[in-house]
Amino acid sequence: MNRNLVVRHIGRADPAVVAALGEAGTATVHEAIGRVGYVGPHLRPIQHDVRIAGSAVTVLSHPGDNIMIHAAVECCHEGDVLVVVNTAPSTHGMFGELLATSLQTRGVRGLVIDAGVRDTSELRQMGFPVWSQYVSCQGTVKSTAGSVNVPVVLGGLVVNPGDVVCADDDGVVVVPRADAEWALAQSQARITKEAATRERLLAGELGVDFYGLRQKLIELGVEYVDEL
Amino acid sequence: MNRNLVVRHIGRADPAVVAALGEAGTATVHEAIGRVGYVGPHLRPIQHDVRIAGSAVTVLSHPGDNIMIHAAVECCHEGDVLVVVNTAPSTHGMFGELLATSLQTRGVRGLVIDAGVRDTSELRQMGFPVWSQYVSCQGTVKSTAGSVNVPVVLGGLVVNPGDVVCADDDGVVVVPRADAEWALAQSQARITKEAATRERLLAGELGVDFYGLRQKLIELGVEYVDEL
Amino acid sequence: MNRNLVVRHIGRADPAVVAALGEAGTATVHEAIGRVGYVGPHLRPIQHDVRIAGSAVTVLSHPGDNIMIHAAVECCHEGDVLVVVNTAPSTHGMFGELLATSLQTRGVRGLVIDAGVRDTSELRQMGFPVWSQYVSCQGTVKSTAGSVNVPVVLGGLVVNPGDVVCADDDGVVVVPRADAEWALAQSQARITKEAATRERLLAGELGVDFYGLRQKLIELGVEYVDEL
Amino acid sequence: MNRNLVVRHIGRADPAVVAALGEAGTATVHEAIGRVGYVGPHLRPIQHDVRIAGSAVTVLSHPGDNIMIHAAVECCHEGDVLVVVNTAPSTHGMFGELLATSLQTRGVRGLVIDAGVRDTSELRQMGFPVWSQYVSCQGTVKSTAGSVNVPVVLGGLVVNPGDVVCADDDGVVVVPRADAEWALAQSQARITKEAATRERLLAGELGVDFYGLRQKLIELGVEYVDEL
Amino acid sequence: MNRNLVVRHIGRADPAVVAALGEAGTATVHEAIGRVGYVGPHLRPIQHDVRIAGSAVTVLSHPGDNIMIHAAVECCHEGDVLVVVNTAPSTHGMFGELLATSLQTRGVRGLVIDAGVRDTSELRQMGFPVWSQYVSCQGTVKSTAGSVNVPVVLGGLVVNPGDVVCADDDGVVVVPRADAEWALAQSQARITKEAATRERLLAGELGVDFYGLRQKLIELGVEYVDEL
Amino acid sequence: MNRNLVVRHIGRADPAVVAALGEAGTATVHEAIGRVGYVGPHLRPIQHDVRIAGSAVTVLSHPGDNIMIHAAVECCHEGDVLVVVNTAPSTHGMFGELLATSLQTRGVRGLVIDAGVRDTSELRQMGFPVWSQYVSCQGTVKSTAGSVNVPVVLGGLVVNPGDVVCADDDGVVVVPRADAEWALAQSQARITKEAATRERLLAGELGVDFYGLRQKLIELGVEYVDEL
C-alpha cells in the first residue's frame, strides 16, 4: 500500500554526537563503521571545504515537483539536514535560495538532494551548504503527493528519518541513528590511529612495511623485478 | 536543403534590456517567462559567481572542427554571446584563450558551447566567462563547412541569432529577442515579489501557509501523522 | 600470460625538460606534438590553477582494491607522478591524504587515477594535486594482485613507466619519454608563435584573415549573406 | 508566454509521399536531404526490422505525467506518428499497451518518445512499433498541464506538427512537411545511385577509386607505406 | 558493524502466489501495488518475451568478485530468483553458464544482477533468464567477503530475502513477501479492469472521456484551439 | 610526431588458429589468457548468436569522418576483422551496408567500431556482423586524414594490426598475434575442464565445494547463520 504521509515527529541522535561526527568527516566515519554508509559519487557539493552533520528529515517527491519540500519545512529543527529523494530521476532545480532562507531560520544545517538545485551562487554566499546531483535553474510544479519523514533510498542506501547525515567535499555518508555513539567512538579511534600513521609516513616509513603488505603481495603472486 | 551560410547581420535586443536580464539571473528569468528557456544541466560554467547576458551569435559546427568559430568572430559585436552547437556530440576543446582574446577585443560577453573548451585557467584569469559541456585540451581541425547566425538547437531549445542568452552559476537560459522587454518586466516583478517573500520567511512564516499549500496537500491525499 | 609485476627501476626524462613541459601546459604540449597524448575529459582536477609535470610511475589495480598503490610508493622518486589505472571501471575512493603524505615526502608531484579519490579538501590544503574520474569517500580492500611500472592504458592512451605526464586545469597529456626534448622544443616554438598571434588579435586583426581561412571557407562551399 | 494548448487540426503531407519516405529508410532520407533531420542515438526501437513513416502529432509533457498523451489521442488520424517530448529528462514508462490499442484503432503508425515505455512484449506482439529512450514499467501521474501539436525539440531537432517522421532500426529522422516531396525525390535518386554503386562494389571495384578519394588522401598528407 | 553473513534459511511466499505474480507482469504488479517496487531502467533482460517471478535469494558482493555467488548457490531452492548487488558499480561479467547450470539444477527461476553477465548466448539457449546492467565477458576474482541473504539495495529499492521478484521485458519489480497475496489480488483486479478498458478502446471510445480527463485538463488551464 | 599512414601489409596469425579462437568464444579466450584482452562493455553486437574471429586491420579516424575506412578496404583480406577507432568520441553512423558489401566481397569477417553504424537491419540480413558503440543513421564527411594499420587503443586495450579479434554476444576480446597459438591451447584446455565441471554441477555437486571455497570463506571472516 502506498500512503502519502507527513510524519511530524522523529527521533534524533544526541546533538553533540551528531556535531562530532560532522567534524570527523565522511571518509573517517565511513571507514570507522565498516566501510558502509556512503551514498555514491553522484551527489556532489556545490561548495568547497564545508563539513557538516545533522539529523535526516526525509522527503520523497515526484520528479519536477517540490510541494513536499515545502511541506517538510515545518518538520525541520535546529541541527537537521534535509534529505530529498525522487521516485524517479529528476534534473530539475527543485530547491533554491528562498527555501534555504526558510530552513536556515530554523537552524537546518544543509540539504542533500538526488535532483538539481538552483541559486547556487546565493546559497554559497548565505552559507547554506548543498549536496546535489545536478545544478539547474529549471523550475518545478506543485502538483503531486509525496511523503515527509518516511524511509527513503538515497543512492545505494536506506535513509531513515533521524539518521545522522554527514557530508563534506568527499560526499555524503549516513549513520543509522542507533549507531551514532558507537560510530563516533570508532571514528575517534581511527583519527587517533591515523595521526600516528601520519607521523610514521612523514618520517619516511613505508605503509607497505608497517601495514604488513609485503608478505601478502608475495602470497598473491606478485613478483618483484628490477627492470621490465 | 542544407546550405552552409554565414549571416553577417542580425537583429539584437535593446542593450539596456539585455544587461538587466543578465543581472536578474537565470532562475528568475526562467520562472518569470513561464518556466521555459533553460538549455539543460549539461552546460556548466568554468567559473563561479559570474552572471552575464548577451545577444546570441550562433555557430553550427562539425564535431572536432572549429573553422566556423573563426568565421564567426567578425560577426560578433559589443554585448554579444557566442553560442556554439555541434551537429553531433563532441568532447573536443574547440575554444581557448586566443579565440577569447579576439572576442574580448570586440566586446563579446562570453561563450556557450555544447562541446569542450581549453585554457580554462587562462580564461578565468582574463575574465572571459564560459559555459561548456566539457573541459578538454584536445585540439581541432579546420576542415568542414558549417554555418554562422542560423537557428540552432542547444540542449532542448531553439536559439535564434539575436536571442538573449542569460548565463550564471545555475546554467544558461535563452529568451527570444522579441520577448526581451516583456521578460525583463516579468523578471523585475518576480524579484520584487521574492523580496517580500524573503522577509516573511525570515520572520518565520511558513511557505506551506502563505503559498496556500496546506489545502492542496489534503486534496492530494497526503495524511499528517505524529509518528511513523 | 598475465604476470603481476612490481618493476623497481624505470628510466626517466631529464628533470629540467619535464619541469619545462609542465610549465608549457597541456593544451600547448598536446598541440605541439601533433594533437595527440590527451587522455580524455573524464579525468578532472580536484583543484584549480595548478600545472604540473612528472615521470609516470604506473599502477594497475583491481577495482576497489588499493594494495598495489601501497606497493608503488617505494618505486616513486622526486619528480614523479603516480598514474593509477584499474582493470575495470571503479568509483571507489582509492587514494587519500595518508597515501599523499607518503608520496609527498618522496617528492612526488601529483596523482592521476581513473577511479575516485577522497580527503579532497585535505589534499588541496596540503598542496598535493590530483586528477581523478570521481570523488568518493568509499574505502577499498587490499586483496587482489596487480602491477607497478608496467605499460597501462589510461583513457585512450598507452602510458609507459617513465613517460612524461603533464596535467593542469584542462586535463592530462602524456608525452613518450623518448619524445620529451622534442616535445619541449615544439611547445616552446608554439608558445612564441602564439604570443605573436595574441598581439595581432589584441590589435584587432582577425584570425579568419591571417590563418588564411577565407579562401578555405569558400572552397568548402560556405556562402556569405547579409541577412537570413 | 507559456500557454498550454491542444491544437486540434494540423496540416499533413501527402500520404503516398509519407509512405514512400518510410520505405526509403532513415539513413537514405537523412543523407538525401543534406545529412540533417536525425534526432540522435538515444532513441532506440523496441523491435527489429520495422520501417515506418507518418505525420507527427506532437505532445509536450511534464516528466512522469502522461495526461497530455491521453489528450492527444483524439488528435491522431490514420497515418500519424505520435511524438512525445518531456520538458525535462524522464525515465518513466509513460506509454503502454492500452494507449497503443487506442492509437492503433485510429490508424496511428507508431510512437516516438524521449522517455520510457512499458508493455514492450505486448507492443511487439500487437505490431505497434515504438522508438523510446528507455524501457521501464514505472507508472505516471496525470496532474500537470502540457500541450498537443505545438513545435517541440526532440534530441537536437525541432519537430513541427505534421512533419514527416521516419523511423527504423537506425533511429528516427524528421523531414519538414514542406520538404516531403523534395525529400522523396532526393531519396529515390540516392537509392538508384546506391544500387549502381552496390553492383560495382560487388564486382570488386574499390570505393577509394570511384569516389575519387586517392587524390584527396594524398592532399591530406596521408602516406602509403608497405610495412610499419 | 559490518559482519559478512551467509544466512541459510529464509521465509518465502506461497509458491502459487509467486507464480501468479509472475504471470501478471511487472507493469501490472507495479501499478497494482501503488506504483512502487520498480528497481529502475538500468536493469535489462538479455532475452525477449520471458516473464518470471521467484523468491529473492540476495547476494552482496565486492565489485569484480563472485565468491559470494558461489556461496549462495546452496541457499537457493526451487522457485527462487538470485539477486546480486555490488557494494560499488561493477561492469564485470560476474555470472555465466556454469553458475546458471548449477542454479538450474536447483530449480532457480533466473538472475537479477546490477553488474554484468557473460555466456549470454548460452544462457538464452538453456532457457535461464537474466536481467543485468551490463553484458561483459570480463572475469572476476574470488577474494573478498560479502553476504548472502541480507537486505540489499537494488536500484532505488530495498530487497529483503524472500521478497517476490517479478521480471519481464519491462524490467524488475519487487514485492515485499508479506504483501504478496494482497499484491496478487490487486493485480488480478487490475487485469480484469484493463480487459474491460481494452474493449472500450477497441470500440473507439476515448480514454480522455471515460477516465474523466476533459474536466481536469480545463482545470489545469489547457486551452483547446483549432489551429496554431 | 603524428604522421598519417596507410600500412599496406601486416602479419597475420595462422587462419586455422584464428578460426578456432573464434569458436572458443570471448569468455573462454579472455579467461584462458589470464583474464585480459576484453575491450569493455560499451561495444555491443547488432546481432544475436554470432561468434567470429579475424585478424585486425585497424583504422584511426577523426570523429564523423569515414574517409579512412574507405582507404582501409583494399588493405583487408579474407579472414580479417576491421577495427575502427576514433581520436575522440563519435556517435556518427560511420559504416553501413555499402562498405559492408565491399568488405564482404573481400572475405572480411566483421566490423568492430567505437562509434555508430547504420543500415543495421540490412547488415543483419546480409550476414555481416558488427560490434559498435552506437547505432545511428547520421552520415559522415570525408575530410580529415587518419591512418590504417597502426596500433590503436580500443576501450582499455591496445590493438596492433594483425592481432586476433574475437567477438560474440559477450563482446570483443583481442589476442596479440604472437600469443594466438598459446591462447588457443589454453582455451581448449579450459573448454575441456569446463565440460567436466558442467557434468559435476549437473549431478548436483556444489562449486563452493569442489572449487575449495568453503575454507576461503571462513578465512575471509564470512559467518554462516541459520536465520537473520
Side-chain angles (χ1 to χ4, degrees):
Chain A
M1 226 113 6
N2 193 20
R3 290 165 65 200
N4 292 302
L5 299 176
V6 176
V7 181
R8 287 195 186 92
H9 304 304
I10 62 172
R12 290 168 173 88
D14 177 342
V17 172
V18 174
L21 281 168
E23 286 158 27
T26 59
T28 293
V29 173
H30 161 77
E31 283 285 342
I33 62 175
R35 224 167 275 157
V36 295
Y38 176 55
V39 301
H42 59 301
L43 289 179
R44 298 296 305 137
I46 64 163
Q47 66 288 317
H48 272 328
D49 303 322
V50 174
R51 184 173 274 192
I52 65 158
S55 299
V57 169
T58 63
V59 178
L60 187 62
S61 286
H62 186 76
D65 193 312
N66 73 356
I67 191 170
M68 298 316 297
I69 302 181
H70 285 281
V73 171
E74 65 184 322
C75 302
C76 292
H77 291 192
E78 172 80 26
D80 286 344
V81 168
L82 194 67
V83 175
V84 180
V85 170
N86 285 272
T87 54
S90 168
T91 64
H92 292 82
M94 294 178 68
F95 183 98
E97 170 255 340
L98 286 181
L99 276 165
T101 298
S102 204
L103 291 177
Q104 211 174 36
T105 65
R106 303 182 75 83
V108 173
R109 293 287 183 267
L111 170 77
V112 174
I113 182 167
D114 70 358
V117 290
R118 61 187 188 181
D119 303 333
T120 49
S121 185
E122 291 83 348
L123 290 168
R124 283 189 294 264
Q125 282 164 37
M126 65 192 281
F128 187 85
V130 171
W131 287 257
S132 72
Q133 187 164 358
Y134 301 99
V135 171
S136 162
C137 69
Q138 187 170 13
T140 50
V141 296
K142 291 176 179 55
S143 305
T144 301
S147 292
V148 174
N149 279 331
V150 299
V152 293
V153 173
L154 176 68
L157 209 74
V158 179
V159 186
N160 284 289
D163 282 351
V164 184
V165 178
C166 305
D168 59 18
D169 292 77
D170 295 341
V172 178
V173 165
V174 181
V175 179
R177 177 162 63 109
D179 295 346
E181 290 193 38
W182 168 79
L184 180 57
Q186 297 291 111
S187 298
Q188 289 172 334
R190 186 174 167 88
I191 288 169
T192 304
K193 191 177 133 217
E194 291 209 334
T197 301
R198 195 176 295 110
E199 288 312 304
R200 295 175 72 177
L201 294 171
L202 283 167
E205 279 192 76
L206 287 169
V208 75
D209 290 323
F210 65 71
Y211 293 132
L213 298 176
R214 282 204 197 281
Q215 183 57 30
K216 179 141 201 190
L217 287 163
I218 288 162
E219 287 166 18
L220 291 172
V222 175
E223 303 168 56
Y224 281 77
V225 298
D226 274 352
E227 303 200 8
L228 204 56
Chain B
M1 212 116 10
N2 192 20
R3 290 165 64 200
N4 291 303
L5 299 177
V6 176
V7 180
R8 289 196 184 91
H9 304 304
I10 62 173
R12 290 169 173 87
D14 177 341
V17 171
V18 174
L21 282 168
E23 285 158 27
T26 60
T28 294
V29 173
H30 161 76
E31 283 285 341
I33 62 175
R35 224 168 273 156
V36 294
Y38 176 54
V39 301
H42 59 302
L43 290 179
R44 299 296 306 137
I46 65 164
Q47 66 288 315
H48 272 328
D49 303 322
V50 173
R51 186 172 272 193
I52 65 159
S55 299
V57 169
T58 64
V59 178
L60 187 62
S61 285
H62 186 76
D65 193 314
N66 73 355
I67 191 169
M68 298 316 298
I69 302 182
H70 286 281
V73 171
E74 66 184 320
C75 302
C76 292
H77 291 191
E78 172 80 25
D80 287 345
V81 168
L82 194 67
V83 175
V84 180
V85 171
N86 285 270
T87 54
S90 169
T91 64
H92 292 82
M94 294 178 69
F95 183 96
E97 170 256 338
L98 287 180
L99 276 165
T101 298
S102 202
L103 291 178
Q104 212 174 35
T105 64
R106 302 182 75 82
V108 172
R109 293 287 182 265
L111 170 76
V112 175
I113 183 167
D114 70 358
V117 290
R118 62 187 188 181
D119 303 333
T120 47
S121 184
E122 291 83 349
L123 290 168
R124 283 189 295 264
Q125 282 164 37
M126 65 193 282
F128 188 85
V130 171
W131 287 256
S132 72
Q133 187 163 359
Y134 300 99
V135 171
S136 162
C137 68
Q138 186 169 12
T140 50
V141 296
K142 292 176 178 56
S143 305
T144 301
S147 292
V148 175
N149 279 330
V150 298
V152 294
V153 173
L154 176 68
L157 209 73
V158 179
V159 186
N160 284 290
D163 282 351
V164 183
V165 178
C166 305
D168 59 18
D169 292 78
D170 295 340
V172 178
V173 164
V174 181
V175 179
R177 177 162 63 107
D179 295 347
E181 290 193 39
W182 168 79
L184 180 56
Q186 296 291 109
S187 298
Q188 287 171 335
R190 186 174 166 87
I191 288 169
T192 304
K193 190 178 134 217
E194 291 209 334
T197 301
R198 194 176 296 110
E199 289 312 305
R200 295 175 73 176
L201 294 171
L202 283 168
E205 278 192 78
L206 286 169
V208 76
D209 290 322
F210 65 71
Y211 294 133
L213 299 176
R214 280 202 199 283
Q215 183 56 30
K216 178 142 202 189
L217 287 162
I218 287 161
E219 287 166 17
L220 290 172
V222 175
E223 303 167 56
Y224 280 77
V225 297
D226 274 352
E227 303 201 7
L228 205 55
Chain C
M1 212 118 10
N2 192 20
R3 290 164 65 200
N4 291 301
L5 299 178
V6 176
V7 181
R8 289 195 185 91
H9 304 304
I10 61 171
R12 290 169 172 86
D14 177 343
V17 171
V18 174
L21 281 168
E23 286 159 27
T26 60
T28 294
V29 173
H30 162 76
E31 283 285 343
I33 63 176
R35 225 167 273 157
V36 294
Y38 176 55
V39 301
H42 58 302
L43 290 179
R44 298 296 304 137
I46 64 164
Q47 66 287 317
H48 272 328
D49 303 321
V50 173
R51 185 173 272 194
I52 65 158
S55 299
V57 168
T58 63
V59 178
L60 187 62
S61 285
H62 186 76
D65 193 313
N66 74 355
I67 192 169
M68 298 315 299
I69 302 181
H70 286 281
V73 172
E74 66 184 320
C75 302
C76 291
H77 291 192
E78 172 80 24
D80 286 345
V81 168
L82 195 66
V83 175
V84 180
V85 171
N86 285 271
T87 54
S90 169
T91 64
H92 292 82
M94 294 178 69
F95 183 98
E97 171 255 338
L98 286 180
L99 276 165
T101 298
S102 203
L103 291 178
Q104 211 174 35
T105 64
R106 302 182 75 83
V108 172
R109 293 288 182 265
L111 170 76
V112 175
I113 183 167
D114 69 358
V117 290
R118 62 187 188 182
D119 303 332
T120 48
S121 185
E122 292 83 349
L123 291 168
R124 283 189 294 264
Q125 283 164 36
M126 66 192 280
F128 187 85
V130 171
W131 288 256
S132 73
Q133 188 164 359
Y134 300 99
V135 172
S136 162
C137 69
Q138 186 168 15
T140 50
V141 296
K142 293 177 177 57
S143 305
T144 300
S147 291
V148 175
N149 279 330
V150 298
V152 293
V153 173
L154 176 67
L157 209 75
V158 179
V159 185
N160 284 291
D163 282 351
V164 183
V165 178
C166 306
D168 60 17
D169 292 77
D170 296 340
V172 177
V173 164
V174 180
V175 178
R177 177 162 64 107
D179 296 346
E181 290 192 40
W182 168 79
L184 180 57
Q186 296 292 108
S187 298
Q188 288 171 336
R190 185 172 166 89
I191 288 169
T192 304
K193 190 177 134 218
E194 290 209 335
T197 301
R198 194 176 296 109
E199 289 312 305
R200 295 176 71 177
L201 293 172
L202 283 168
E205 280 192 75
L206 286 169
V208 75
D209 290 322
F210 66 72
Y211 294 132
L213 299 177
R214 281 203 198 281
Q215 183 57 30
K216 178 141 200 187
L217 287 163
I218 287 162
E219 287 166 16
L220 291 172
V222 176
E223 303 168 55
Y224 280 77
V225 298
D226 274 351
E227 303 200 8
L228 205 54
Chain D
M1 217 119 8
N2 194 19
R3 290 165 66 199
N4 290 302
L5 300 177
V6 175
V7 181
R8 287 196 186 91
H9 303 305
I10 62 172
R12 289 170 173 87
D14 176 341
V17 172
V18 174
L21 282 168
E23 284 159 28
T26 61
T28 294
V29 173
H30 162 77
E31 284 285 341
I33 63 175
R35 227 169 273 156
V36 294
Y38 176 55
V39 301
H42 58 303
L43 290 180
R44 298 296 305 136
I46 64 163
Q47 65 287 317
H48 272 327
D49 303 321
V50 174
R51 185 172 273 193
I52 65 158
S55 299
V57 169
T58 64
V59 178
L60 187 62
S61 285
H62 186 77
D65 193 314
N66 73 355
I67 191 170
M68 299 314 299
I69 302 181
H70 286 281
V73 171
E74 65 184 320
C75 303
C76 292
H77 291 191
E78 171 80 24
D80 287 344
V81 168
L82 194 67
V83 175
V84 180
V85 171
N86 285 270
T87 56
S90 169
T91 63
H92 291 83
M94 294 177 69
F95 182 97
E97 170 256 338
L98 286 181
L99 277 164
T101 298
S102 203
L103 292 177
Q104 210 173 36
T105 63
R106 301 181 76 82
V108 172
R109 293 287 182 266
L111 170 77
V112 175
I113 183 167
D114 70 358
V117 289
R118 61 186 187 183
D119 303 333
T120 47
S121 184
E122 290 84 348
L123 290 168
R124 283 189 293 265
Q125 281 164 36
M126 65 193 280
F128 187 85
V130 171
W131 287 257
S132 72
Q133 186 164 1
Y134 300 100
V135 171
S136 162
C137 68
Q138 187 168 14
T140 52
V141 296
K142 293 178 176 54
S143 304
T144 301
S147 292
V148 175
N149 279 331
V150 298
V152 293
V153 173
L154 176 68
L157 209 75
V158 179
V159 185
N160 285 289
D163 282 352
V164 183
V165 177
C166 306
D168 59 17
D169 292 78
D170 295 340
V172 178
V173 164
V174 181
V175 179
R177 176 162 63 107
D179 296 347
E181 289 192 40
W182 168 79
L184 180 57
Q186 297 291 110
S187 298
Q188 287 170 336
R190 186 173 166 87
I191 288 168
T192 304
K193 189 175 135 219
E194 290 210 334
T197 301
R198 194 175 298 109
E199 289 311 305
R200 294 175 72 177
L201 293 171
L202 283 168
E205 279 192 76
L206 287 169
V208 76
D209 289 321
F210 65 73
Y211 293 133
L213 297 177
R214 282 202 196 281
Q215 182 58 28
K216 179 141 203 189
L217 287 163
I218 287 161
E219 286 166 17
L220 290 172
V222 175
E223 303 168 56
Y224 280 77
V225 297
D226 274 352
E227 302 202 7
L228 203 57
Chain E
M1 207 112 19
N2 193 18
R3 290 164 66 200
N4 291 302
L5 299 177
V6 176
V7 181
R8 287 195 186 92
H9 304 304
I10 61 171
R12 290 171 173 85
D14 177 341
V17 172
V18 174
L21 281 168
E23 284 159 27
T26 61
T28 294
V29 173
H30 161 77
E31 284 285 340
I33 63 176
R35 227 169 272 156
V36 295
Y38 176 54
V39 301
H42 58 303
L43 290 180
R44 299 295 306 135
I46 64 164
Q47 65 287 318
H48 272 328
D49 303 320
V50 173
R51 185 173 274 194
I52 65 158
S55 300
V57 168
T58 64
V59 178
L60 188 62
S61 284
H62 186 76
D65 192 313
N66 73 355
I67 191 169
M68 298 315 298
I69 302 181
H70 286 281
V73 172
E74 65 184 320
C75 303
C76 291
H77 291 191
E78 171 81 23
D80 287 344
V81 168
L82 195 67
V83 175
V84 180
V85 171
N86 285 271
T87 55
S90 169
T91 63
H92 293 82
M94 294 177 70
F95 183 97
E97 172 255 337
L98 286 181
L99 276 164
T101 298
S102 203
L103 291 178
Q104 210 173 37
T105 64
R106 300 181 76 81
V108 172
R109 293 287 183 265
L111 170 77
V112 174
I113 183 167
D114 70 359
V117 289
R118 61 186 188 183
D119 303 333
T120 48
S121 184
E122 291 84 347
L123 290 168
R124 283 189 294 264
Q125 281 163 37
M126 66 194 279
F128 187 85
V130 170
W131 287 257
S132 72
Q133 187 163 359
Y134 300 100
V135 172
S136 162
C137 68
Q138 187 169 14
T140 51
V141 295
K142 290 177 179 56
S143 304
T144 300
S147 292
V148 175
N149 279 331
V150 298
V152 294
V153 174
L154 176 68
L157 209 75
V158 179
V159 185
N160 285 289
D163 282 351
V164 183
V165 178
C166 307
D168 59 18
D169 291 78
D170 295 340
V172 177
V173 164
V174 181
V175 179
R177 175 162 63 108
D179 296 347
E181 290 192 38
W182 168 79
L184 179 57
Q186 297 291 109
S187 298
Q188 287 170 336
R190 186 174 165 88
I191 289 168
T192 305
K193 192 177 131 216
E194 291 209 334
T197 301
R198 193 175 298 111
E199 289 311 305
R200 295 175 72 177
L201 294 170
L202 283 168
E205 280 192 75
L206 286 169
V208 77
D209 289 322
F210 66 72
Y211 294 133
L213 298 176
R214 283 205 195 279
Q215 181 57 29
K216 179 143 201 188
L217 287 163
I218 287 161
E219 286 166 17
L220 291 171
V222 176
E223 303 167 57
Y224 280 77
V225 297
D226 273 353
E227 302 203 6
L228 202 57
Chain F
M1 215 116 13
N2 193 18
R3 291 165 65 199
N4 291 303
L5 300 177
V6 175
V7 181
R8 287 195 186 92
H9 304 304
I10 62 171
R12 288 169 174 88
D14 176 342
V17 171
V18 174
L21 282 168
E23 284 159 28
T26 61
T28 293
V29 172
H30 161 77
E31 284 286 340
I33 63 175
R35 227 168 272 158
V36 294
Y38 176 54
V39 301
H42 58 303
L43 290 179
R44 298 297 304 136
I46 64 164
Q47 65 287 319
H48 271 329
D49 303 321
V50 173
R51 185 173 272 193
I52 64 157
S55 299
V57 168
T58 64
V59 178
L60 188 62
S61 284
H62 186 75
D65 193 312
N66 73 356
I67 191 171
M68 298 315 297
I69 302 181
H70 286 281
V73 171
E74 66 184 321
C75 303
C76 292
H77 291 191
E78 171 80 24
D80 287 344
V81 168
L82 195 67
V83 174
V84 180
V85 171
N86 285 271
T87 56
S90 169
T91 63
H92 292 82
M94 294 177 68
F95 183 96
E97 172 255 337
L98 286 181
L99 276 164
T101 298
S102 203
L103 291 177
Q104 209 173 38
T105 63
R106 302 181 75 82
V108 172
R109 292 287 183 266
L111 170 77
V112 175
I113 182 168
D114 70 357
V117 289
R118 62 187 188 183
D119 303 333
T120 47
S121 184
E122 290 85 347
L123 290 168
R124 283 189 294 266
Q125 281 164 36
M126 66 193 280
F128 188 85
V130 171
W131 288 257
S132 71
Q133 187 164 0
Y134 300 100
V135 172
S136 162
C137 68
Q138 187 169 12
T140 52
V141 296
K142 292 176 178 56
S143 304
T144 301
S147 291
V148 175
N149 279 331
V150 298
V152 294
V153 173
L154 176 68
L157 209 76
V158 179
V159 185
N160 284 289
D163 282 351
V164 183
V165 178
C166 306
D168 59 18
D169 291 78
D170 295 340
V172 177
V173 164
V174 180
V175 179
R177 176 162 63 107
D179 295 347
E181 289 192 39
W182 169 79
L184 180 57
Q186 297 292 110
S187 298
Q188 287 170 336
R190 187 174 165 87
I191 288 169
T192 304
K193 190 176 135 220
E194 290 209 334
T197 301
R198 193 174 298 109
E199 289 311 306
R200 294 175 73 177
L201 293 171
L202 283 167
E205 279 192 77
L206 286 168
V208 76
D209 290 321
F210 65 72
Y211 294 133
L213 297 177
R214 284 204 195 279
Q215 182 58 29
K216 180 143 201 189
L217 287 164
I218 287 162
E219 287 166 17
L220 290 172
V222 175
E223 302 167 57
Y224 280 77
V225 298
D226 273 352
E227 302 201 8
L228 203 56

